[in-house]
Amino acid sequence: MFSAASEKTSKPQSDSFRQFQPRTMLLRQGIVVDHRQEQKADILIIDGKIAEIAPEIHTIPKSCEIIEATGLYVMPGGIDVHTHFNIDVGIARSCDDFLSGTRSAACGGTTMVIDHMGFGPKGCSLHHQLNVYQAYAKDTAAIDYSFHGVIQHVNDDILGEMASMVEEEGISSFKLYLTYGYKLDDAEVLKALMQLKQVGALATVHPENDAAIALRRAQLLEQGKTQPKYHAISRPLECEAEAIARMINLAKLAGDAPLYIVHLSNGLGLDYARLARNNHQPVWVETCPQYLILDDSCYEKEDALKYILSPPLRPAAEREKLWAGLVDGSIDTIATDHCSFTYHEQKQRGKDNFSACPNGMPGVETRMPLMFSEGVMKGRFSPSRFVELTSYLPAKLFGLYPQKGALQVGSDADFVLFDPEQNVTITHDLLHDNADYTPFENIPTQGWPVMTISRGEVVARNREFTGQAGNGRFIPRKAFDANVL
């Protein structure tokens, strides 16, 4: 367990005074892990940046807070590149806003999120939703954040606006949906992919075949099959995999436009991505803890409404295919798709009709401990691969490196400290979101984040939030560049 010692004077300092003083902290003798290696080392932090990393640091500034990290893994703070805070899905608004969402993230070892903005009014500009979401996050986010642009229609104005979003606003990734109300058709997708490549942006896609889903859903409802389990039956893995293959081919037609598949849930879609990468096509893949830990047997439970999300949970056999992808490098990132609705109120809309249930589940706080436990502590992959999946590759793909996701001098001092000896059974009463459940209730974990540091400030300690609303900053991101990957 870590301990903290401080040489600070006992004289209290006001926040207005402290913000103009260089803040110093020494992380002493932790197991320092980046995406390449691990070593026992000291890390000196000055004014929110990494100032020095060395086997031992002997020259310590005055008024330096010392964190004894012996026996702890000291890693770059997690970057969750797929959250949905404060999103209005038409039938409900998610129960986590940018305060509760980032508070929960911080307590789970995440120091930055990139949020997928929800749809705006019909015909709105790209900047419209950015302005809306900037207002949501400003003065409330407790850790740093950015946004993915959302493309809900394609015309000359939208295509022309993309360059300024990248160059002036620092938004270098955009979401395309192949389902839901503002789904894009193939011609719109192709136009968007061509322009996104031109302006230096990464296309992220929610891939599901909307026509097939709509037909299956209508047939099931007509037959009176309205229980939650029919949500998954209405959206089989083939609907997801077909859309992945289609997007890969459209990206090829767009001149090898870079493509990022979000929340992959099945092995067939992964095979299509592997095939594309074997052909040297720039395609990257994200998955989420729910697809690695849970399966479609959850839809047989009494509280099955908790597990309605899209894509749905898959048969247990798909989980091992995804773990294999994490091990062999076919999957690049682990995010959460955190989109939380209360079970006892909001999710109950679907009790008599699965199609009326808001889709999504919480997970931003449990991603890092679950993946550390299931991945590192169970020997599926190394601590360095854990860093690669949860921080380094997210930073590289989304224009944040080396400010984020790096342990090097000058990088932001964003850290998570894991105690590999601390065993915790997940229950919702330990978590810090606004939901009333966790889908991972009673799952035991080995290893837990005992401290989270955001730009040199301790924002979580021993499962308690110590940060502050508004301390998070919007981070403009660099244009996408496949050459740095």
Side-chain angles (χ1 to χ4, degrees):
M1 179 59 64
F2 70 84
S3 62
S6 176
E7 299 175 12
K8 292 181 180 178
T9 63
S10 59
K11 182 178 179 180
Q13 296 178 326
S14 68
D15 287 342
S16 61
F17 176 81
R18 288 183 70 247
Q19 68 182 347
F20 293 104
Q21 303 305 304
R23 304 172 189 179
T24 60
M25 178 185 292
L26 180 68
L27 303 179
R28 186 149 62 186
Q29 293 301 285
I31 306 166
V32 177
V33 184
D34 66 8
H35 67 286
R36 296 169 300 185
Q37 62 184 350
E38 53 187 271
Q39 60 182 324
K40 193 173 182 180
D42 292 351
I43 302 177
L44 180 64
I45 299 166
I46 298 178
D47 205 17
K49 299 285 187 180
I50 298 174
E52 185 179 357
I53 303 175
E56 284 190 76
I57 296 175
H58 299 287
T59 303
I60 303 173
K62 293 182 179 180
S63 301
C64 181
E65 180 179 7
I66 299 174
I67 305 294
E68 297 291 353
T70 301
L72 304 181
Y73 286 101
V74 179
M75 299 169 160
I79 302 172
D80 189 343
V81 297
H82 193 158
T83 62
H84 294 281
F85 297 150
N86 208 35
I87 188 172
D88 184 349
V89 297
I91 59 175
R93 182 179 291 275
S94 62
C95 61
D96 277 312
D97 58 17
F98 278 85
L99 173 55
S100 65
T102 57
R103 175 184 67 205
S104 185
C107 290
T110 289
T111 53
M112 181 164 177
V113 299
I114 307 180
D115 198 78
H116 282 281
M117 300 186 291
F119 297 132
K122 184 176 182 179
C124 71
S125 68
L126 297 176
H127 282 80
H128 178 278
Q129 282 305 89
L130 177 60
N131 294 335
V132 167
Y133 270 72
Q134 289 281 26
Y136 287 160
K138 185 182 179 184
D139 300 326
T140 62
I143 58 173
D144 292 347
Y145 59 92
S146 184
F147 306 107
H148 303 281
V150 58
I151 301 173
Q152 57 192 70
H153 66 284
V154 175
N155 58 27
D156 289 344
D157 290 339
I158 293 295
L159 295 172
E161 197 180 355
M162 290 175 180
S164 64
M165 288 283 284
V166 175
E167 297 164 8
E168 299 171 19
E169 308 292 351
I171 303 297
S172 56
S173 54
F174 293 79
K175 182 77 164 284
L176 314 174
Y177 288 86
L178 302 187
T179 189
Y180 302 136
Y182 285 105
K183 63 183 180 294
L184 302 182
D185 63 30
D186 289 352
E188 290 174 315
V189 167
L190 188 55
K191 290 177 183 177
L193 288 171
M194 293 170 66
Q195 184 66 3
L196 291 174
K197 181 191 177 187
Q198 185 69 28
V199 302
L202 178 60
T204 77
V205 61
H206 176 128
E208 288 185 290
N209 186 307
D210 183 76
I213 291 168
L215 176 61
R216 291 175 66 88
R217 181 173 58 235
Q219 291 172 336
L220 290 166
L221 295 177
E222 186 177 350
Q223 296 166 17
K225 296 177 178 179
T226 60
Q227 299 99 315
K229 68 180 181 180
Y230 292 108
H231 168 74
I233 292 171
S234 74
R235 312 176 89 99
L237 66 84
E238 291 82 5
C239 288
E240 180 185 3
E242 182 281 330
I244 289 171
R246 179 158 38 104
M247 281 298 305
I248 287 170
N249 285 319
L250 289 171
K252 186 69 176 178
L253 291 173
D256 275 343
L259 181 66
Y260 180 91
I261 307 297
V262 305
H263 52 46
L264 179 75
S265 71
N266 73 88
L268 180 58
L270 180 58
D271 286 341
Y272 287 138
R274 285 192 179 111
L275 181 62
R277 285 159 70 134
N278 288 341
N279 289 325
H280 308 293
Q281 195 171 339
V283 177
W284 293 270
V285 179
E286 161 197 297
T287 193
C288 308
Q290 54 267 32
Y291 305 119
L292 297 162
I293 306 295
L294 307 175
D295 60 59
D296 62 358
S297 65
C298 292
Y299 296 119
E300 301 296 337
K301 296 182 178 181
E302 184 179 353
D303 57 358
L305 286 170
K306 292 178 179 178
Y307 305 96
I308 288 186
L309 77 163
S310 296
L313 302 178
R314 302 301 189 191
E318 301 304 313
R319 293 184 312 199
E320 293 312 310
K321 297 173 185 176
L322 298 178
W323 280 111
L326 292 172
V327 171
D328 70 19
S330 301
I331 296 177
D332 305 281
T333 66
I334 302 173
T336 63
D337 194 14
H338 179 104
C339 188
S340 55
F341 300 95
T342 58
Y343 169 65
H344 289 98
E345 293 185 16
Q346 292 172 304
K347 288 278 190 178
Q348 293 305 312
R349 288 180 55 95
K351 64 184 177 63
D352 298 319
N353 181 344
F354 70 83
S355 68
C357 184
N359 279 220
M361 61 171 58
V364 73
E365 188 166 348
T366 48
R367 173 185 71 129
M368 297 284 280
L370 277 171
M371 293 301 97
F372 185 87
S373 179
E374 294 292 323
V376 176
M377 299 307 293
K378 289 191 175 179
R380 286 182 166 110
F381 47 67
S382 69
S384 287
R385 177 62 173 153
F386 172 83
V387 168
E388 190 172 49
L389 289 163
T390 61
S391 185
Y392 171 75
L393 280 175
K396 295 280 279 190
L397 280 162
F398 291 100
L400 294 166
Y401 191 85
Q403 181 179 357
K404 305 288 187 183
L407 295 185
Q408 55 185 260
V409 172
S411 297
D412 284 354
D414 293 349
F415 298 97
V416 57
L417 279 61
F418 266 93
D419 182 354
E421 301 301 321
Q422 188 167 139
N423 298 334
V424 175
T425 296
I426 294 173
T427 57
H428 188 257
D429 61 353
L430 295 178
L431 305 181
H432 299 78
D433 55 42
N434 276 350
D436 56 359
Y437 78 99
T438 171
F440 306 107
E441 189 78 19
N442 293 324
I443 291 180
T445 64
Q446 183 180 356
W448 196 266
V450 294
M451 181 176 285
T452 307
I453 299 168
S454 172
R455 284 184 285 103
E457 296 286 340
V458 177
V459 293
R461 188 192 302 256
N462 287 333
R463 302 199 295 274
E464 294 295 330
F465 177 65
T466 60
Q468 201 168 30
N471 276 2
R473 298 176 182 171
F474 172 76
I475 307 296
R477 296 182 286 119
K478 294 177 288 188
F480 178 79
D481 182 2
N483 294 321
V484 304
L485 291 160

